[in-house]
Amino acid sequence: MNKFKTPSRRGFLAGGTALLAAPAILRGTRAYAQTPTLKVGHVSPRTGPLAGFAEADDYVLAAVADAFAGGIENNGKTWNIEIISKDSQSNPNRAAEVAADLILGDEVDIIVAASTPDTVNPVSDQAEINEVPCITTDCPWQPYFFGRNGVPGQGFDYTYHFFWGLEDVIGAFLDMWDQSGVQKVVGGLFPNDADGNAWGHPELGLPTPLAAAGYDLTDPGRYQPLTDDFSNYINAFKEAGAEIVTGNMIPPDFATFWAQAAQQGFNPKVVTIGKALLFPSVIESLGDRGDGLSSEVWWSPDHPFASSLTGASAKALAEGYTAASGRPWTQPIGFKHALFEVVADVVRRAADLEDYEAIAAAIPETRLDTIVGPVDWSNGPINNVTKTPLVAGQWQKEGEGFDLKIVANSAARDIPLTGEMKLL
C-alpha cells in the first residue's frame, strides 16, 4: 500500500520545538479572534490521467466559496471557512504528500478528497495517521475500506466515505445487460491497480455475482495501466465468443483497447466500462465509436435531488457548469459539491470546532439530503461508509454531440429513465 508516513500531527506538534509549537498555540487561541477561521483541505487530481474527475473543480469550488462567503454559524459564533485545494497529479504518492502538507503545513481542520482509490485512499490514510477528520467520495466503498485494510466491525476513527459499492455497480450493469438480450458471455478488463483489483476480485468483485446471474466471464488477468497492447485480451474474448465487455479502466487505456478491437475485428454488442466512460470528453474523442458505449451513472441533471447549501437542483447545477465553461456536465460535479454540503453540515453541528475529536464525532451523526441523495452514516453497509444511489446509462449520439441516457434504474426508481438501451 502507498503510504507517506508521518508522525501523528498531535505528537508532531506536542513533541516539536518551540518554533513548531507556536502555530499550535495560535490555533488554541483563534476562537478569541473577532471571526475565527476553519480550514478545509481539498485533494483532487487536477492533472494526469484522472484529470477528467477534476474538470469541474474550479466551478464547484467557486460556487462553494460563494455559499461560504458569509461564514457558518456554530454555537452562536460565525466561522470563516477557508478552502485550500491541492493537486494529486493522479499519483497516489503525490496525494499522500499533499495531504500531509495540508495537515502538517497548512494545519487544516478537516480534509476532503474525491476521485478513485488513487486519491481517496492515500489522503484518508494520512488523515487517520494524523488524527484529522476526513470526508471522501468518488470511489466504490470496497477499495476504500478493504484497500486500506479496514476491519469490519472496527473501521476507522477519523475517516468517513459516501458513495456506492461494487454490489451496486454490478446490479446496475446486470439490469442493463439483461434487457439487451445478448449472449451472457462477458470479457473482463481489469488493470493492476486498486480499482481493477477490487472489480476483478474473485469474491468481492464481479466474477461471483456474474456467475450467479448466469454470465460466463473471461478474465485474462490484470494488465498494467497505460499498456500499449491488448491483443492477448482481444484474442481471448474472441475465442470465448464474448458479446459484452466490461471492466474498470482509465481513459487512455480504454482508447487503446477500443482502437485495437476495431483493428483486430472484435465487435462486441455491449461495452460497459467503469471510470473511463464517465466523461463526455472521452466519448467525444472516440468520434462515432463512442455512440452506444455504456457505464454506471452516479449523478446526472435528471437526478431528483437538490443542494442543502444553495437549494439548486441537480439540473441547475449541471446547467450552471455548462453555461460557465461551455463544456458538457460531468458526473463528479454533484459529488464534489456534496462533499462541501457535508462539511458545512458538520461545521454547524460540531460540539466544539476547536477540538478535532468533536469534529470527527459529528461526521457519522450526519443525516443530510444532498444533491447526490441522502448521506446518512447510520445505515452504511460497513463502518465509516454510507451509500448513494446508482443507475446505468448509455451514450447516444444526438446531433453533433452525445447525451448520456439513463437506461436502467431498477435499484433507484426515483431516478427517471431518459432513454432505451441499444446494441452497438
Side-chain angles (χ1 to χ4, degrees), residues 187-213:
L189 288 164
F190 305 113
N192 186 22
D193 63 14
D195 256 340
N197 290 324
W199 284 57
H201 190 281
E203 287 83 39
L204 300 174
L206 272 66
T208 296
L210 291 195

Side-chain angles (χ1 to χ4, degrees), residues 88-408:
S88 71
Q89 300 172 4
S90 300
N91 181 302
N93 292 325
R94 178 66 181 168
E97 289 169 11
V98 298
D101 189 36
L102 285 164
I103 291 165
L104 297 172
D106 296 298
E107 292 190 41
V108 297
D109 302 282
I110 302 173
I111 193 165
V112 300
S115 313
T116 84
D118 286 340
T119 315
V120 165
N121 287 10
V123 172
S124 298
D125 287 339
Q126 283 304 302
E128 193 73 17
I129 290 167
N130 287 292
E131 302 175 351
V132 174
C134 176
I135 304 163
T136 53
T137 191
D138 288 13
C139 161
W141 71 258
Q142 286 92 340
Y144 165 83
F145 190 87
F146 295 113
R148 298 177 55 220
N149 299 316
V151 178
Q154 181 178 327
F156 308 102
D157 294 325
Y158 298 91
T159 51
Y160 294 86
H161 188 73
F162 65 96
F163 207 50
W164 41 266
L166 295 179
E167 69 280 16
D168 303 304
V169 79
I170 292 165
F173 286 3
L174 290 173
D175 186 15
M176 185 163 54
W177 299 345
D178 284 348
Q179 62 178 281
S180 73
V182 303
Q183 295 293 314
K184 295 186 173 185
V185 184
V186 184
L189 288 164
F190 305 113
N192 186 22
D193 63 14
D195 256 340
N197 290 324
W199 284 57
H201 190 281
E203 287 83 39
L204 300 174
L206 272 66
T208 296
L210 291 195
Y215 285 79
D216 182 14
L217 176 68
T218 296
D219 176 3
R222 306 295 158 264
Y223 69 85
Q224 288 307 117
L226 298 177
T227 189
D228 59 4
D229 186 6
F230 285 94
S231 297
N232 291 341
Y233 294 82
I234 292 167
N235 289 333
F237 298 162
K238 279 181 170 179
E239 286 178 19
E243 294 196 350
I244 301 170
V245 172
T246 195
N248 184 281
M249 311 176 80
I250 58 175
D253 288 343
F254 179 77
T256 301
F257 164 77
W258 200 221
Q260 292 176 359
Q263 292 161 4
Q264 297 174 33
F266 175 53
N267 299 300
K269 295 179 180 176
V270 176
V271 174
T272 307
I273 300 287
K275 195 187 299 188
L277 303 185
L278 297 172
F279 305 112
S281 57
V282 174
I283 302 302
E284 289 163 4
S285 73
L286 299 171
D288 288 342
R289 282 183 60 75
D291 190 22
L293 298 175
S294 51
S295 73
E296 75 276 17
V297 181
W298 341 325
W299 183 82
S300 78
D302 294 294
H303 277 51
F305 309 125
S307 168
S308 61
L309 262 185
T310 65
S313 65
K315 186 176 179 65
L317 182 65
E319 289 179 345
Y321 171 70
T322 297
S325 67
R327 303 280 309 133
W329 62 271
T330 70
Q331 295 192 41
I333 295 173
F335 280 84
K336 291 290 177 74
H337 183 94
L339 270 177
F340 293 98
E341 290 186 70
V342 177
V343 166
D345 184 64
V346 167
V347 169
R348 288 189 189 99
R349 290 184 294 101
D352 181 2
L353 290 178
E354 292 287 328
D355 180 4
Y356 297 111
E357 301 290 344
I359 296 172
I363 298 173
E365 300 299 319
T366 301
R367 311 283 185 273
L368 187 66
D369 290 331
T370 75
I371 203 153
V372 300
V375 174
D376 178 355
W377 274 280
S378 70
N379 65 6
I382 205 163
N383 308 69
N384 305 81
V385 169
T386 185
K387 295 205 299 184
T388 51
L390 188 68
V391 292
Q394 183 179 47
W395 292 98
Q396 298 181 4
K397 192 85 182 280
E398 285 199 346
E400 293 302 306
F402 292 91
D403 190 35
L404 182 59
K405 303 289 189 183
I406 296 171
V407 298

